[in-house]
């Protein structure tokens, strides 16, 4: 049974060569090639993010007992299998096996068997040419022996929730079709189907592809939680489909098909004690494809602690650090595989629209998370996505998640953290965001019965109306000037000026004049000191919005904040207990059918 392929860079998803192989000497490779050419004394090594073999995890979680690497080569060359492991002050390496081969000008398969010896590192191939014009044509890691007769039946339902991301959806479906559905030899042909919740109702089923493999459902726009739950419900109602696992994936990612194949291979070979494991995918940046944004995460009462953040995966040290397992509470749903045993009619996600649904479902169900180099997606960084509506959901959903799971999050702790967020929005003149923070907290305090009565789509529309909306900078009253913007974000503040600014409440009572230009994401309060107006500039979209100093609005919102504090003193513990005791009322299929209006349409009876 094949476990994982050796793969190359590709223009369809990633061209960052050092994620795939490292070259030394006269090595020739182009993105259109299906092989690597080496002249004498040149070498390529595959101790990389995508092509290293994570032996510790393969042998820990699966039934395999031995592995062999099969490669196709041509020429006279030295072939080595190398083990690498990260230790506190060095990278430990040793040669597992080495051999010279001469194929006499023909393409020949070379087999390198090996057994598990070390716990924390990776095994990797290195090829060195002993003559000119040697060629490496690829290869794969296989397992052989009795364990291959003990493979599990696996069928994956890929669930995608989308809202007006047609280009991403069609592209990714095309990739899946090329590598899996149209390839009769693919192990996933017949064992992978796509379930797409179309929250915007804009996808063209005919353009999407084969309806036997790709199922599209027009869905009420109830956010990510509503879209993913719709996909789960459709899987539950799919009859004799044989679905064993769901793979939740964002609609705006760039996929590596090998990640899905390796996920499938792991699931086929899982040991009985790990059959209930999640398999997570890391998030890599779409603009810096070597940059790992996160690989698993801790909830920490809502102050998230992302694992393995900021790793440069071009470096061997970073890849070996990924081999270490750390405690995680959940894996985000940009790529998250969940056993179907958890997807039950009484165990569906919370209807919290967006932000925190993946967290809560992980806290509720995830017992073990398997993360492995080479299983990932590329995603736009979150700092490139500005949305005022998030300010409504940030604390509302955090409070709901913590309450349902009985996670210690005292009223004092909540108000302290809320104050920091609220103060930042107030002193950056983003009063609409401050109001949305208040609205979210107040709505939590209305209790679970109020929450159950809400129409998620309508509520979100009201939230969206209350926030800021990015506009073309030509339409804004504050003219955009890049040198001013660049100077502002690199502005330095001395200690004396900082003390003066703090004592004067950032110039709240002083006369203001002039404009400032700031980034939309986390602008420093300093930028607003004694300024009348601010243009909040979104670098990625090159759009923005304008806010103004308004002391009247400032004190109105501050008064509302004081009211919230008093309300919390009366209701915080009571409402938290209510969610904890009755939270499961929001998780059943009967609730969800009403929430998604499925009963009205006569669907999923």
């Amino acid at each position: 049974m094949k476990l994982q392929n050796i793969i190359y860079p590709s223009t369809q998803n990633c061209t960052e060569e050092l994620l795939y192989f490292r070259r030394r000497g006269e090595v020739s490779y182009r993105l259109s090639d299906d092989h690597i050419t080496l002249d004498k004394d040149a070498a390529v090594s595959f101790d990389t993010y995508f092509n290293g073999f994570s032996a510790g995890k393969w042998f820990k979680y699966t039934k395999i007992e031995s592995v062999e690497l099969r490669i196709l080569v041509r020429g006279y060359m030295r072939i080595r299998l190398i083990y690498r492991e990260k230790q506190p002050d060095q990278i430990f390496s040793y040669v597992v096996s080495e051999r010279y081969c001469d194929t006499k000008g023909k393409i020949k398969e070379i087999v390198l068997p090996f057994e598990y010896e070390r716990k924390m590192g990776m095994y990797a191939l290195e090829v060195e040419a002993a003559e000119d014009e040697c060629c490496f044509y690829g290869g794969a890691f296989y397992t052989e022996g009795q364990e291959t007769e003990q493979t599990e039946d696996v069928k994956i339902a890929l669930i995608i929730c989308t809202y007006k991301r047609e280009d991403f959806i069609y592209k990714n479906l095309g990739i899946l079709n090329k590598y899996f559905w149209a390839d009769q030899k693919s192990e996933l042909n017949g064992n992978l189907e796509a379930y797409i919740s179309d929250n915007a109702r804009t996808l063209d089923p005919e353009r999407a592809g084969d309806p036997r493999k790709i199922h599209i459902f027009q869905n009420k726009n109830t956010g990510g939680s509503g879209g993913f739950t719709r996909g789960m419900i459709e899987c539950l109602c799919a009859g004799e489909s044989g679905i064993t696992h769901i793979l939740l994936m964002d609609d705006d990612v760039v996929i590596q098909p090998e990640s899905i194949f390796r996920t499938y291979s792991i699931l086929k070979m899982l040991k009985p004690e790990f059959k209930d494991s999640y398999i997570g995918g890391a998030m890599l940046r779409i603009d810096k494809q070597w940059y790992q944004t996160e690989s698993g995460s801790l909830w920490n009462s809502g102050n998230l602690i992302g694992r393995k953040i900021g790793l440069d995966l071009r470096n061997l040290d970073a890849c070996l650090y990924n081999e270490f397992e750390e405690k995680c509470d959940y894996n985000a749903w940009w790529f998250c595989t969940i056993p179907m045993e958890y997807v039950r009619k009484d165990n569906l996600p919370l209807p919290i629209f967006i932000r925190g649904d993946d967290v809560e479902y992980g806290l509720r169900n995830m017992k073990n998370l398997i993360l492995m180099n080479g299983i990932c997606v590329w995603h736009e960084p979150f700092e490139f996505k500005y949305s005022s509506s998030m300010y409504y959901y940030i604390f509302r959903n955090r409070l709901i998640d913590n309450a349902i799971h009985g996670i210690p999050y005292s009223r004092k702790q909540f108000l302290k953290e809320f104050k920091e967020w609220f103060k930042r929005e107030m002193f950056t003149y983003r009063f609409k965001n401050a109001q949305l923070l208040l609205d979210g907290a107040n709505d939590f305090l209305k209790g679970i019965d109020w929450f159950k009565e809400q129409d998620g789509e309508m509520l979100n529309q009201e939230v969206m109306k209350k926030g800021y909306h990015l506009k073309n900078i030509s339409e804004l009253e504050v003219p955009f000037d890049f040198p001013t913007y660049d100077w502002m974000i690199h502005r330095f503040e001395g200690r004396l000026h900082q003390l003066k600014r703090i004592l004067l409440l950032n110039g709240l009572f002083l006369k203001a004049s002039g404009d400032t230009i700031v980034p939309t994401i986390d602008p420093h309060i300093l930028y607003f000191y004694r300024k009348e107006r601010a243009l909040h500039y979104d670098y990625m979209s090159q759009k923005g919005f304008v806010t103004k100093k308004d002391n009247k609005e400032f004190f109105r919102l501050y008064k509302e904040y004081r009211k919230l504090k008093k309300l919390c003193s009366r209701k915080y513990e009571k409402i938290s207990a209510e969610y904890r005791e009755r939270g499961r009322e929001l998780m059943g299929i009967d609730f969800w059918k009403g929430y998604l209006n499925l009963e009205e349409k006569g669907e999923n009876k």
Side-chain angles (χ1 to χ4, degrees):
M1 176 181 166
K2 186 190 294 183
L3 302 177
Q4 70 178 60
N5 294 288
I6 291 177
I7 59 175
Y8 298 149
S10 170
T11 54
Q12 76 178 3
N13 44 40
C14 179
T15 60
E16 190 64 56
E17 184 176 292
L18 288 175
L19 295 182
Y20 299 87
F21 63 86
R22 311 179 199 281
R23 63 170 83 191
R24 186 185 75 239
E26 295 297 320
V27 176
S28 175
Y29 173 76
R30 296 172 298 182
L31 290 172
S32 58
D33 289 344
D34 63 354
H35 64 279
I36 301 172
T37 303
L38 304 88
D39 284 343
K40 186 176 181 180
D41 298 327
V44 290
S45 59
F46 296 90
D47 51 352
T48 58
Y49 179 73
F50 280 114
N51 287 323
F53 185 81
S54 299
K57 295 177 182 179
W58 275 109
F59 284 98
K60 174 181 177 179
Y61 293 111
T62 73
K63 302 171 187 174
I64 65 173
E65 297 174 0
S66 61
V67 180
E68 62 182 31
L69 172 60
R70 303 180 190 174
I71 59 174
L72 291 175
V73 296
R74 189 189 70 200
Y76 180 39
M77 60 186 67
R78 181 176 68 172
I79 300 170
R80 299 200 298 176
L81 185 67
I82 301 173
Y83 174 82
R84 302 198 190 279
E85 177 183 313
K86 180 178 174 62
Q87 296 183 352
D89 57 350
Q90 65 175 337
I91 293 176
F92 171 76
S93 301
Y94 78 93
V95 178
V96 178
S97 63
E98 178 180 86
R99 60 183 292 188
Y100 281 86
C101 70
D102 187 354
T103 69
K104 307 296 184 181
K106 298 180 180 180
I107 299 175
K108 182 179 179 181
E109 182 181 70
I110 305 297
V111 179
L112 297 169
F114 64 95
E115 295 183 356
Y116 177 53
E117 297 180 15
R118 309 286 299 193
K119 293 183 178 180
M120 295 302 300
M122 68 162 63
Y123 288 83
L125 171 71
E126 181 180 276
V127 177
E128 182 178 0
E131 65 179 7
D132 288 342
E133 297 187 1
C134 292
C135 290
F136 175 81
Y137 291 94
F141 292 88
Y142 290 79
T143 183
E144 296 223 355
Q146 64 178 6
E147 65 268 14
T148 60
E149 301 172 2
Q150 304 169 6
T151 59
E152 302 296 327
D153 291 331
V154 173
K155 185 172 183 179
I156 299 173
L158 172 61
I159 299 177
I160 301 174
C161 168
T162 185
Y163 185 84
K164 295 184 178 180
R165 298 279 190 174
E166 296 89 350
D167 290 343
F168 276 98
I169 294 295
Y170 295 140
K171 177 181 178 181
N172 285 334
L173 289 177
I175 292 173
L176 294 173
N177 184 65
K178 175 182 176 181
Y179 283 89
F180 303 130
W181 296 321
D183 183 357
Q184 296 300 316
K185 296 181 180 180
S186 169
E187 293 86 343
L188 276 89
N189 192 325
N191 293 311
L192 175 70
E193 294 183 13
Y195 287 72
I196 302 175
S197 297
D198 182 11
N199 281 9
R201 309 172 186 90
T202 55
L203 289 177
D204 180 358
E206 292 187 5
R207 184 177 173 187
D210 188 346
R212 295 170 298 177
K213 308 289 178 63
I214 303 165
H215 313 282
I216 297 177
F217 306 95
Q218 291 192 343
N219 197 47
K220 185 177 179 181
N221 183 25
T222 48
S225 65
F228 284 122
T229 303
R230 176 66 186 276
M232 293 181 186
I233 291 172
E234 295 297 340
C235 289
L236 284 170
C237 298
E240 302 297 321
S241 63
I243 296 170
T244 61
H245 296 79
I246 60 171
L247 170 53
L248 305 178
M249 193 168 74
D250 277 350
D251 62 342
D252 56 348
V253 299
V254 173
I255 63 171
Q256 170 58 261
E258 177 68 13
S259 295
I260 299 176
F261 173 74
R262 291 183 192 179
T263 298
Y264 174 80
S265 297
I266 295 169
L267 294 174
K268 289 284 288 183
M269 298 296 296
L270 279 176
K271 292 177 180 176
E273 60 266 36
F274 294 116
K275 284 185 180 179
D276 57 0
S277 296
Y278 278 42
I279 298 180
M283 173 181 161
L284 278 55
R285 283 178 62 138
I286 205 167
D287 60 331
K288 301 175 182 178
Q289 296 189 304
W290 44 267
Y291 184 101
Q292 182 170 274
T293 301
E294 180 180 300
S295 184
S297 188
L298 286 174
W299 172 233
N300 191 33
S301 301
N303 296 301
L304 303 181
I305 301 175
R307 295 301 195 184
K308 313 287 197 312
I309 291 177
L311 296 187
D312 182 345
L313 297 176
R314 296 172 297 186
N315 297 329
L316 175 60
D317 185 81
C319 297
L320 295 178
Y321 173 35
N322 263 346
E323 300 292 346
F324 287 86
E325 296 189 286
E326 300 173 306
K327 175 178 170 53
C328 294
D329 291 326
Y330 73 99
N331 194 86
W333 285 355
W334 49 65
F335 189 110
C336 184
T337 308
I338 302 174
M340 196 64 186
E341 66 182 82
Y342 294 122
V343 184
R344 305 189 309 270
K345 292 182 178 181
D346 65 342
N347 193 48
L348 297 170
L350 285 180
I352 54 180
F353 199 86
I354 195 170
R355 197 179 179 102
D357 47 342
D358 50 1
V359 172
E360 191 281 326
Y361 206 66
L363 291 171
R364 195 194 321 168
N365 298 304
M366 193 183 82
K367 298 177 182 178
N368 188 66
L369 176 63
I370 300 173
L371 300 162
M372 189 179 290
N373 280 331
I375 298 180
C376 67
V377 291
W378 289 274
H379 197 292
E380 194 174 73
F382 294 121
E383 60 265 30
F384 290 171
K385 293 184 174 183
Y386 182 82
S387 174
S388 276
S389 63
M390 290 299 101
Y391 288 85
Y392 173 82
Y393 296 107
I394 286 168
F395 279 101
R396 192 203 71 169
N397 294 355
R398 180 188 297 190
L399 290 166
I400 292 173
D401 286 355
N402 285 335
I404 284 178
H405 290 280
I407 295 171
Y409 192 59
S410 68
R411 172 169 55 92
K412 181 178 179 181
Q413 182 182 355
F414 158 63
L415 288 173
K416 178 182 178 182
E417 294 177 358
F418 183 92
K419 181 181 178 181
E420 290 301 311
W421 282 76
F422 183 75
K423 182 175 69 173
R424 184 181 64 196
E425 299 308 304
M426 293 279 276
F427 281 107
T428 57
Y429 307 165
R430 301 196 291 193
F431 302 119
K432 292 182 180 180
N433 290 350
Q435 182 66 65
L436 285 167
L437 287 170
L438 290 168
D439 290 347
N442 280 312
D443 283 354
F444 166 78
L445 294 171
K446 292 176 182 177
I448 195 169
D449 286 321
W450 175 89
F451 188 87
K452 289 175 65 177
E453 294 170 359
Q454 299 309 300
D455 182 304
E457 186 171 33
M458 296 296 293
L459 177 60
N460 186 65
Q461 289 175 4
E462 292 301 314
V463 169
M464 293 289 289
K465 290 177 183 177
K466 293 181 179 181
Y468 296 103
H469 300 278
L470 298 175
K471 298 180 179 180
N472 293 325
I473 55 176
S474 60
E475 302 174 16
L476 303 175
E477 57 267 39
V478 176
F480 177 70
D481 178 71
F482 188 84
T484 303
Y485 168 79
D486 189 55
W487 176 83
M488 185 61 68
I489 61 177
H490 293 99
R491 182 178 174 184
F492 173 78
E493 181 180 33
R495 180 61 178 166
L496 288 177
H497 187 274
Q498 183 185 46
L499 289 172
K500 174 185 175 182
R501 184 173 55 78
I502 292 173
L503 290 172
L504 294 173
L505 297 178
N506 212 52
L508 180 65
F509 298 106
L510 300 178
K511 184 178 180 180
S513 63
D515 302 326
T516 184
I517 304 175
V518 303
T520 55
I521 305 297
D522 297 332
H524 197 285
I525 293 175
L526 163 67
Y527 306 160
F528 299 80
Y529 179 65
R530 302 192 69 178
K531 296 296 183 182
E532 182 68 30
R533 302 183 301 180
L535 190 162
H536 302 254
Y537 179 69
D538 181 68
Y539 181 82
M540 291 303 295
S541 67
Q542 298 184 24
K543 296 181 178 181
F545 60 88
V546 172
T547 62
K548 302 176 183 179
K549 183 179 181 182
D550 187 339
N551 284 10
K552 182 178 179 181
E553 183 68 359
F554 184 98
F555 287 110
R556 184 192 71 80
L557 288 166
Y558 182 72
K559 185 178 179 180
E560 293 298 314
Y561 166 69
R562 296 295 297 267
K563 289 181 180 179
L564 174 66
K565 290 181 65 176
K566 291 180 181 179
L567 189 62
C568 277
S569 66
R570 300 199 316 269
K571 301 184 69 174
Y572 184 85
E573 284 77 15
K574 176 185 175 182
I575 298 300
S576 294
E578 184 180 274
Y579 270 98
R580 185 163 56 253
E581 294 165 4
R582 299 176 54 197
R584 296 208 69 88
E585 294 176 19
L586 303 170
M587 305 172 188
I589 195 168
D590 289 336
F591 167 81
W592 269 102
K593 283 183 177 181
Y595 189 73
L596 295 174
N597 295 340
L598 297 183
E599 291 178 335
E600 295 177 12
K601 299 176 182 179
E603 298 182 50
N604 299 308
K605 292 290 187 181

